[in-house]
């Protein structure tokens, strides 16, 4: 995707830096989800609420972070498209780390009353703004630094940060949940949030050494950046933004697997309920599976002639596997739960590996950060944030897991249809330029020709005696 191919060393450096940075950002974001499922209902809300209501309210505060994510996409997309990807990624990392650290220090409802959930929601909003600007920049740092024809493959570096961060968050709570319950609820969970400050330092050291992608360096040299990227993106690419958002619900099933499923499967009102550490162990195994199989999605999409066919065969199994996962968990059999969750993980993780690169190809460089951030965060606001709360409401209202299972399968249907439409509009051969990139090259050639035409008389005058 770069105007000129960077060296393999620079591309790998950008990919690794993208991976490490997103791992840290997603760790901070996912520990909130784990804490929402396990402790926030007890810590930040009254004890006299009906069963499940405290958990539902904690999921609502989690949703606040998703509602704020489009704002992060707009703000950081604006600065990322005008001033470069690197600077914005440094700011998002600091903002996320500071918000997470303060959550670890926040007093509970028993200490400061209603101020506790209010402040918790505010800090979640800051997390949402940070991750809203993080994802797009990380994908672009990797994909724009990639050798020609390998942008989708390199964008998968950024995508690997999600399962790694989720695995770190799950692992942290797996060990912390081994504490006696009173100690875990009193202070044990806070350790996961306070420890994030150490990860932020590591991430900053790596990100400050990054180089800006060449395509962005050249745009700034030519003063080819857009004054207000969000206006340009909506004015000329609004259809692609909306279709891109529609392509992403399948990515959000992770919140069914990790956040909702953890609260549901460890609810002691079930005779088949799992222990907290036991179920977090199941989730961790599924995340290991995701980490291993996810890159193959990007490899397949990079090598096939027609990405539409690859997307179809990657996504279709999820129609069946996601509903089966819930019924496997409900058996109370640990091995069946592991098998069901691991199998359901494969399709959406392979899809996730490639969708970032597909979206990046859909927009020209001058609004690319804003465009892909808006697509991703609009879906996050409407689908991801609502998913745990919606699933909890469905289950509480019907006392059966069937509606939740159907919800998971429906995400796959919507994503498949919208991704196929997106590829039809933007181009489906990974090794070739997308329609947006072709148009950008034509525009650049016309501008260069115009500059040469305007300069020609001056050169002629200079040659006269």
């Amino acid at each position: 995707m770069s105007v000129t191919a960077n060296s393999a060393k620079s591309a790998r450096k950008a990919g690794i830096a993208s991976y490490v940075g997103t791992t840290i950002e997603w760790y901070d974001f996912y520990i909130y989800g784990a804490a929402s499922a396990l402790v926030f209902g007890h810590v930040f809300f009254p004890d006299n609420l009906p069963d499940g209501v405290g958990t539902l309210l904690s999921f609502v505060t989690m949703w606040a972070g998703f509602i704020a994510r489009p704002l992060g996409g707009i703000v950081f997309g604006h600065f990322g498209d005008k001033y470069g990807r690197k600077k914005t990624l440094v700011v998002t990392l600091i903002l996320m780390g500071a918000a997470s650290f303060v959550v670890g220090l926040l007093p509970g409802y028993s200490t400061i009353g209603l101020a506790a959930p209010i402040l918790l929601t505010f800090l979640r909003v800051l997390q949402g703004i940070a991750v809203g600007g993080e994802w797009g920049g990380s994908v672009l740092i990797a994909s724009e630094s990639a050798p020609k024809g390998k942008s989708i493959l390199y964008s998968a570096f950024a995508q690997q940060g999600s399962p790694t961060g989720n695995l770190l968050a799950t692992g942290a709570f797996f060990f912390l949940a081994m504490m006696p319950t009173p100690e875990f609820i009193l202070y044990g969970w806070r350790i996961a949030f306070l420890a994030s400050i150490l990860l932020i330092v590591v991430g900053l050291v790596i990100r400050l050494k990054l180089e800006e992608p060449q395509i962005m360096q050249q745009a700034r040299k030519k003063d080819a950046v857009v004054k207000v990227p969000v206006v340009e993106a909506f004015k000329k690419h609004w259809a692609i933004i909306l279709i891109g958002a529609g392509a992403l619900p399948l990515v959000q099933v992770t919140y069914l697997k990790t956040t909702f499923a953890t609260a549901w499967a460890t609810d002691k009102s079930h005779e088949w309920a799992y222990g907290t550490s036991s179920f977090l162990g199941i989730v961790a195994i599924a995340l290991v599976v995701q980490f291993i199989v996810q890159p193959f999605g990007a490899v397949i999409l990079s090598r096939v002639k027609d990405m539409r066919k690859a997307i179809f065969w990657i996504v279709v199994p999820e129609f069946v596997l996601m509903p089966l996962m819930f019924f496997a968990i409900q058996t109370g059999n640990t091995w069946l739960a592991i098998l069901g969750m691991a199998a359901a993980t494969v399709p959406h993780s392979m899809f996730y590996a490639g969708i970032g690169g597909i979206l990046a190809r859909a927009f020209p460089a001058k609004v690319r950060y804003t465009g892909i951030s808006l697509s991703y965060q609009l879906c996050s606001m409407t689908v991801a944030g609502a998913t745990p709360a919606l699933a909890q409401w469905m289950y509480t209202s019907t006392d059966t897991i069937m509606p939740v299972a159907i919800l998971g399968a429906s995400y796959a249907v919507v994503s498949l249809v919208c991704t196929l439409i997106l590829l039809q509009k933007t181009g489906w051969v990974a090794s070739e330029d997308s329609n947006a990139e072709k148009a950008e090259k034509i525009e650049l050639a016309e501008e260069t020709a115009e500059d040469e035409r305007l300069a020609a008389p001056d050169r002629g005058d200079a040659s006269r005696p």
Side-chain angles (χ1 to χ4, degrees):
M1 189 173 294
S2 305
V3 175
T4 57
N6 291 342
S7 68
K9 182 178 179 181
S10 296
R12 285 195 300 271
K13 181 180 177 181
I16 293 170
S18 177
Y19 165 64
V20 173
T22 52
T23 293
I24 296 168
E25 290 263 10
W26 284 118
Y27 166 82
D28 282 339
F29 205 72
Y30 282 130
I31 55 174
Y32 192 102
S36 293
L38 298 173
V39 299
F40 281 176
H42 303 288
V43 176
F44 294 105
F45 297 94
D47 291 333
N48 58 354
L49 295 174
D51 289 344
V53 174
T55 300
L56 178 59
L57 290 174
S58 70
F59 285 162
V60 171
T61 70
M62 191 174 92
W63 192 3
F66 290 96
I67 294 173
R69 281 167 69 163
L71 176 59
I74 292 171
V75 172
F76 290 110
H78 174 86
F79 289 107
D81 282 327
K82 283 184 70 70
Y83 304 112
R85 320 318 192 188
K86 174 183 173 179
K87 293 178 181 178
T88 57
L89 289 176
V90 170
V91 176
T92 61
L93 193 65
I94 294 172
L95 180 60
M96 175 64 86
S100 299
F101 184 77
V102 176
V103 169
L105 300 174
L106 189 62
Y109 186 89
S110 62
T111 304
I112 59 174
L114 189 60
I118 293 174
L119 290 173
L120 180 68
T121 303
F122 172 73
L123 292 170
R124 181 59 174 177
V125 166
L126 293 183
Q127 279 193 328
I129 292 172
V131 83
E134 163 69 24
W135 183 82
S138 294
V139 167
L140 295 187
I141 279 286
S143 64
E144 290 180 342
S145 300
K148 182 174 175 56
K150 294 185 177 181
S151 61
I152 290 179
L153 187 61
Y154 274 72
S155 71
F157 276 96
Q159 307 295 61
Q160 282 296 94
S162 179
T164 308
N166 203 346
L167 185 59
L168 287 175
T170 303
F173 274 90
F174 173 81
F175 289 108
L176 291 171
M178 292 180 180
M179 300 172 66
T181 301
E183 285 80 359
F184 174 63
I185 293 177
L186 181 63
Y187 66 87
W189 65 271
R190 297 178 183 274
I191 297 172
F193 286 85
L194 298 176
S196 67
I197 198 69
L198 301 176
L199 297 176
I200 297 301
V201 173
V202 174
L204 283 175
V205 170
I206 294 173
R207 284 203 165 163
L208 289 171
K209 294 180 180 179
L210 270 177
E211 295 179 3
E212 194 69 42
Q214 288 186 13
I215 194 168
M216 198 62 211
Q217 293 181 34
Q218 294 179 3
R220 293 181 65 188
K221 284 181 181 178
K222 293 183 177 182
D223 198 24
V225 294
V226 179
K227 289 185 177 180
V228 187
V230 67
V231 173
E232 178 84 1
F234 272 120
K235 183 179 179 180
K236 296 185 178 180
H237 309 284
W238 64 268
I240 297 297
I241 290 172
L242 294 179
I243 295 170
L248 289 162
L250 183 57
V251 173
Q252 316 305 342
V253 297
T254 187
Y255 297 101
L256 284 176
K257 283 171 39 193
T258 56
T259 306
F260 165 76
T262 298
W264 169 63
T266 58
D267 186 343
K268 299 306 179 185
S269 65
H270 306 312
E271 61 180 18
W272 50 266
Y274 299 79
T276 300
S277 291
S278 296
F279 194 76
L280 288 175
I282 294 171
V283 172
I285 291 171
L287 290 170
V288 171
V289 171
Q290 180 179 354
F291 182 83
I292 294 171
V293 304
Q294 183 167 287
F296 290 101
V299 172
I300 292 170
L301 287 168
S302 296
R303 294 187 177 182
V304 297
K305 182 67 175 176
D306 190 336
M307 288 191 287
R308 296 171 299 179
K309 293 180 179 179
I311 285 291
F312 181 85
W313 291 114
I314 286 172
V315 173
V316 164
E318 194 79 322
F319 296 175
V320 176
L321 294 176
M322 181 55 64
L324 285 178
M325 179 195 76
F326 288 103
F327 297 113
I329 293 171
Q330 201 170 29
T331 64
N333 185 299
T334 300
W335 292 108
L336 284 178
I338 291 172
L339 179 62
M341 190 172 283
T345 294
V346 174
H348 70 255
S349 61
M350 293 179 69
F351 174 81
Y352 183 61
I355 193 62
I358 290 173
L359 277 175
R361 286 166 45 87
F363 299 96
K366 57 187 177 183
V367 295
R368 188 172 290 144
Y369 200 141
T370 300
I372 69 171
S373 294
L374 284 173
S375 289
Y376 192 90
Q377 306 315 337
L378 284 174
C379 179
S380 295
M381 178 182 70
T382 56
V383 179
T387 292
L390 178 60
Q392 184 71 26
W393 174 79
M394 285 180 165
Y395 179 72
T396 302
S397 301
T398 63
D399 200 31
T400 173
I401 201 63
M402 179 65 76
V404 181
I406 294 173
L407 177 68
S410 68
Y411 285 3
V413 175
V414 174
S415 285
L416 176 61
V417 172
C418 290
T419 304
L420 294 178
I421 294 173
L422 182 65
L423 288 171
Q424 187 68 29
K425 286 183 172 292
T426 62
W428 54 83
V429 181
S431 60
E432 298 178 359
D433 288 338
S434 68
N435 293 341
E437 291 166 332
K438 291 174 183 176
E440 197 168 33
K441 286 184 176 181
I442 292 172
E443 182 180 346
L444 179 62
E446 290 175 348
E447 290 176 354
T448 301
E450 180 66 13
D451 290 343
E452 291 177 350
R453 186 187 68 79
L454 293 174
D458 295 335
R459 289 198 301 268
D461 291 342
S463 63
R464 293 174 186 172

